Amino acid sequence: MRSPLVRPALALAALALLGLLLFRAVEIRTDMADFLPPAATPGAAFLLGELRDGAATTLLLVGLEGAEAPELARVSKAMGAALREGGLFAFVGNGTGDLTEGEQALLFRYRYLLSPAEGVFEVAGLRRGLEALLDGLRSSMSGVLSRLGFADPPGVFLDLLKGWLGGSTVTMRDGAWFAGGDGPPRALLVARSRAPGTDMEGQREASEAVRAAFAAAEPRGARLLLSGPGVFAASAAAAVKADVERVSILSGVLLLAFLVWRYRSGAMLLAAGVPLLAGSLAGALAVSLVFGRVQGAALGFGVTMLGVAVDYPILLLTGRRPGEALGAAARRIWPTLRLAAGAAALGLVAMMASGFPGLAQLGLFGAAGLLAGVAVTRWGLPRLLPGEAVAARPLPGPVMRGLGRLRGRRVLAAGLVALAALWLVLAGPPRWEDDIARLSPVPEADRNLDGELRAQLGAPDVRHLVALRGASAEAVLRASERVAGALAPLLAAGRLGGLDLPSRYLPSLAAQAARRAAMPPPEVLAARLEEAGRGLPFRPGAFAPFLAAVEESRALPPLDLAALAEAPLISARLSPLLTGGEGGWRGLGLLSGVGDAGAVRAALEGLGDPGILFVDVKGETEGMIAAATGGALLWCGVGALAVLGLLAAGLGGAGAALRRAAPIAGAVLVVLAVLSAAGERLTPFHLAALLLMAGVGLDYALFLGRAEPDAAEAARSLAAVLTCTVTTLLTFGMLALCATPVLHGIGLTVSVGVAAAFLLALALAPRAEATA
């Protein structure tokens, strides 16, 4: 006699083979930008572009501490060399010594065209430069100044280099960057990875490369501090992976143990996997056909959502009457089963109109998967498990008797819902989350370290940006210079801490021409220099290199992007701030220490240039989340109305539909009350979890709310639904234990909702004796 395992095993093997072929042909996309909300404003559109491939999201900030300064400098220089050779970084900075000889020569030659300094060729400006040079020659900087100072007495070149550090507190010690202040020494590095910020694997590799370079430097007592958006992305992905792996193993073991105890059948375990695998393949195929590719996160979460498809074989096999053929049982429960699956799928379809590409894929994946899973249960399982292959073990008598006494206790159901509603009235509903950072699994201490390193390095805090657009690089650079001029008063007044613009590294051709024109003729400059140097102990002719350099600058061709390619360090700094493409050129201005955002916005709007846009990242993010949340709520409401319409059509009227939907509505109130009491903040992921809970709970309401012919039939339905509830809680209950906020919120929402939906559906079900 053939084993009952054979057919389910062959079916799973065939589906696995189809899955292998399907996923070899389908593109799996891992860009988490698909889950970003849609842009409703120009600022939001620019911000989304920067979140996908912007420079600020690729920064890695490094600190070294715990040892003496010479040792920290040695490790810093060793790490810098290793990271530059590794090829994963577009830029690595840890000191002005990073300039190559060729780059120093080019920038020194063009210093007077690159520098925005004014009045350096006037008598007063020259006098200040000569006095500063004299003081410097008596200091620890004498070596550098004796080499550069007589060719550049205004100090333009050194000021130009210092300007790259912006408003940071970085100082040079032993040839490396160090944080300023009186505390223990801390060496600093900053790196920009080539991988975009949304490339989780690329950011992980960059973070690991930094750690490997630190270990290879053989530090003696030094500690590594690593931060930045890329590091956060990698650590968040690692934290989510660790949570998922731990939960998957724990919930898988518990679920397997429960099903083995309940059914004592390997055939049942295999059979339960057939609708799930079939639904997963159907969902992936549908998404691929509609969207052209499959989002990896949507695939993973969609398969989790399809866990509800496991309920269908449980309801069929557990609710079968003694001696009833499985095909006959499938035909008997089919009207209720198809209504439950159709309503759940219809609710998920509403996610397709959310505007989030990732959530739209998730909705289609879940809807197509549920319909495929229920179809396989109806027509496939009777052929895979003929005869008496599976018989459920009776559930514990005290449990069934206790639940049986709860059946039909509508007063208790009303009391539970009233308590939940009272809590929401007194304490208020859970607040909507408007800060993406709070969803991060990165500890608060690490986020504080990031802010500290940013302040020391002068790195952008990605709070305020200036978007620049133009038809050419020259147009963007001119706009950048207008921005610098408009914000200069705010910088001088301390209402703006720092400003990093593309024109800081490459002035426009027009600006270079104006600076060239402002240079005095040799005889005029020589006379001014002589007047400025009266009374100072400089020998005659000492500044002949300076006079020759200015005359050379008057004849230099302007420096453009092509010529700047010979300066890799400054090109690396400029490249994220000035980019070109098919849609024209765009620039990025990074603001720090914005004390008056309104004044900055007003100054930029006063330029009257539509190609210049002030972007308040926090404000735009909150606006996007609010708009996305409002849209998600709207479409959830539309989905709920559609489900009620389907139930009314399937059950014979609006009254019956409302009675079946009542446990779901009550469960939603209970979930909101529990989330409020727990201090949870709502996100679009909570809405997705509520939709999943509603789909699962609808199964319970439909199967427990049927008028059964006798008490035995009612007991079988109760046992089947209870089994489904336990399997769902074993799966999603473990998610509630996760440290990752998103996973924790989903697990808590589904677990509380499913438990409440089961108890409310049972309490609102007709009494068993009344159905006899």
Side-chain angles (χ1 to χ4, degrees):
M1 183 176 181
R2 179 186 297 178
S3 168
L5 294 172
V6 173
R7 292 183 180 180
L10 290 176
L12 284 175
L15 289 172
L17 178 60
L18 288 175
L20 180 63
L21 296 175
L22 175 63
F23 286 110
R24 291 186 68 175
V26 170
E27 176 190 355
I28 304 296
R29 180 180 171 91
T30 59
D31 189 350
M32 293 304 293
D34 285 341
F35 283 91
L36 294 173
T41 66
F46 179 85
L47 176 59
L48 289 179
E50 287 302 308
L51 289 175
R52 287 185 173 93
D53 56 7
T57 62
T58 63
L59 285 179
L60 282 82
L61 312 177
V62 182
L64 302 171
E65 62 182 20
E68 296 300 321
E71 171 63 11
L72 296 178
R74 182 192 68 81
V75 174
S76 172
K77 287 184 279 191
M79 289 179 64
L83 295 177
R84 293 184 191 97
E85 293 174 0
L88 294 178
F89 298 93
F91 166 73
V92 178
N94 60 346
T96 54
D98 296 335
L99 286 170
T100 65
E101 291 185 5
E103 187 169 6
Q104 288 186 51
L106 175 69
L107 298 179
F108 191 73
R109 185 184 180 201
Y110 273 90
R111 60 193 181 278
Y112 298 122
L113 295 184
L114 292 174
S115 174
E118 297 180 355
V120 295
F121 301 120
E122 302 296 330
V123 173
L126 290 170
R127 180 72 181 190
R128 287 193 299 270
L130 293 176
E131 290 174 344
L133 174 60
L134 188 61
D135 291 338
L137 290 172
R138 297 166 179 165
S139 70
S140 60
M141 292 288 291
S142 60
V144 174
L145 290 177
S146 62
R147 181 167 54 91
L148 301 177
F150 294 97
D152 183 27
V156 166
F157 182 61
L158 291 180
D159 287 342
L160 189 67
L161 298 184
K162 292 176 183 178
W164 289 354
L165 298 178
S168 73
T169 60
V170 169
T171 61
M172 284 294 298
R173 296 172 64 180
D174 298 304
W177 283 344
F178 275 80
D182 300 327
R186 174 185 286 178
L188 300 172
L189 297 89
V190 60
R192 183 168 63 85
S193 66
R194 296 186 186 277
T198 52
D199 182 355
M200 299 297 104
E201 181 60 22
Q203 295 304 321
R204 185 195 65 78
E205 291 179 355
S207 301
E208 290 303 317
V210 173
R211 295 186 177 95
F214 174 72
E218 299 181 354
R220 294 186 288 272
R223 295 188 302 274
L224 174 68
L225 307 174
L226 184 58
S227 186
V231 179
F232 285 176
S235 61
V240 171
K241 181 180 179 182
D243 268 346
V244 169
E245 288 179 350
R246 182 173 61 253
V247 166
S248 298
I249 293 173
L250 181 58
S251 64
V253 169
L254 293 176
L255 183 60
L256 181 64
F258 173 72
L259 291 177
V260 168
W261 172 84
R262 183 80 170 93
Y263 294 99
R264 297 166 294 180
S265 169
M268 166 58 191
L269 298 179
L270 294 177
V274 172
L276 176 61
L277 186 52
S280 300
L281 295 181
L285 180 60
V287 170
S288 177
L289 291 175
V290 173
F291 293 94
R293 59 181 180 268
V294 179
Q295 163 59 238
L299 175 64
F301 190 44
V303 172
T304 303
M305 290 183 69
L306 283 184
V308 66
V310 178
D311 288 357
Y312 301 150
I314 290 175
L315 291 168
L316 172 60
L317 296 169
T318 311
R320 184 177 54 171
R321 296 168 180 169
E324 184 180 26
L326 199 57
R331 287 190 295 272
R332 176 172 55 83
I333 70 169
W334 177 239
T336 305
L337 197 61
R338 72 185 177 194
L339 184 60
L346 188 58
L348 290 173
V349 167
M351 295 174 64
M352 295 184 65
S354 66
F356 292 78
L359 289 181
Q361 288 195 24
L362 181 57
L364 178 59
F365 187 99
L370 286 179
L371 296 178
V374 76
V376 169
T377 300
R378 165 65 180 88
W379 287 285
L381 290 193
R383 290 178 170 82
L384 297 178
L385 295 174
E388 297 290 335
V390 177
R393 184 195 299 269
L395 291 169
V399 173
M400 295 303 295
R401 287 192 295 271
L403 291 176
R405 285 193 288 270
L406 179 62
R407 191 181 192 114
R409 304 288 183 178
R410 299 184 179 181
V411 174
L412 291 178
L416 177 62
V417 174
L419 283 175
L422 180 62
W423 174 270
L424 292 174
V425 170
L426 296 178
R431 296 176 59 189
W432 288 101
E433 182 58 82
D434 56 8
D435 186 354
I436 294 178
R438 291 177 182 167
L439 298 178
S440 170
V442 179
E444 183 178 0
D446 291 352
R447 296 199 298 270
N448 292 338
L449 172 64
D450 181 76
E452 184 179 333
L453 291 174
R454 284 181 181 279
Q456 292 173 342
L457 278 162
D461 59 7
V462 205
R463 175 65 170 83
H464 298 94
L465 307 172
V466 179
L468 306 169
R469 294 185 296 272
S472 64
E474 175 69 6
V476 172
L477 290 172
R478 290 189 182 188
S480 173
E481 289 162 350
R482 290 196 295 275
V483 168
L487 298 183
L490 297 180
L491 281 167
R495 300 166 75 184
L496 179 62
L499 175 62
D500 201 13
L501 289 162
S503 56
R504 184 180 194 177
Y505 306 102
L506 179 63
S508 68
L509 300 181
Q512 294 183 57
R515 291 169 188 174
R516 185 190 302 110
M519 296 178 190
E523 61 278 8
V524 174
L525 181 59
R528 292 176 182 177
L529 184 61
E530 181 180 359
E531 181 180 353
R534 286 174 184 165
L536 298 179
F538 291 110
R539 60 179 174 80
F543 297 105
F546 169 58
L547 297 174
V550 175
E551 183 60 19
E552 180 190 19
S553 297
R554 286 163 50 86
L556 283 176
L559 192 67
D560 57 16
L561 283 172
L564 197 62
E566 298 180 19
L569 180 59
I570 193 172
S571 294
R573 287 183 173 272
L574 176 63
S575 61
L577 304 181
L578 181 64
T579 56
E582 296 180 359
W585 284 76
R586 69 172 184 170
L588 175 65
L590 304 176
L591 310 180
S592 60
V594 178
D596 189 344
V600 174
R601 185 186 298 275
L604 296 180
E605 290 178 350
L607 295 173
D609 188 341
I612 298 174
L613 179 67
F614 175 69
V615 181
D616 182 342
V617 174
K618 188 173 187 296
E620 292 291 352
T621 301
E622 291 176 355
M624 285 190 292
I625 293 177
T629 300
L633 285 173
L634 172 64
W635 287 107
C636 281
V638 171
L641 291 176
V643 169
L644 283 176
L646 180 62
L647 291 177
L651 297 173
L658 291 174
R659 286 193 296 273
R660 293 296 189 275
I664 311 304
V668 170
L669 284 178
V670 172
V671 168
L672 294 178
V674 171
L675 294 178
S676 173
E680 289 279 324
R681 288 174 172 257
L682 295 182
T683 69
F685 293 100
H686 285 89
L687 294 181
L690 283 173
L691 285 175
L692 173 60
M693 179 277 295
V696 174
L698 192 58
D699 292 349
Y700 306 164
L702 288 173
F703 275 88
L704 290 176
R706 294 182 303 174
E708 304 290 3
D710 52 46
E713 189 75 20
R716 280 192 294 273
S717 294
L718 174 57
V721 172
L722 177 59
T723 301
C724 294
T725 304
V726 172
T727 58
T728 302
L729 290 176
L730 288 176
T731 302
F732 286 93
M734 299 299 104
L735 286 179
L737 304 178
C738 289
T740 305
V742 169
L743 297 179
H744 169 77
I746 291 171
L748 182 63
T749 300
V750 175
S751 299
V752 172
V754 164
F758 168 71
L759 294 175
L760 291 174
L762 183 59
L764 294 176
R767 292 182 179 273
E769 57 268 24
T771 63

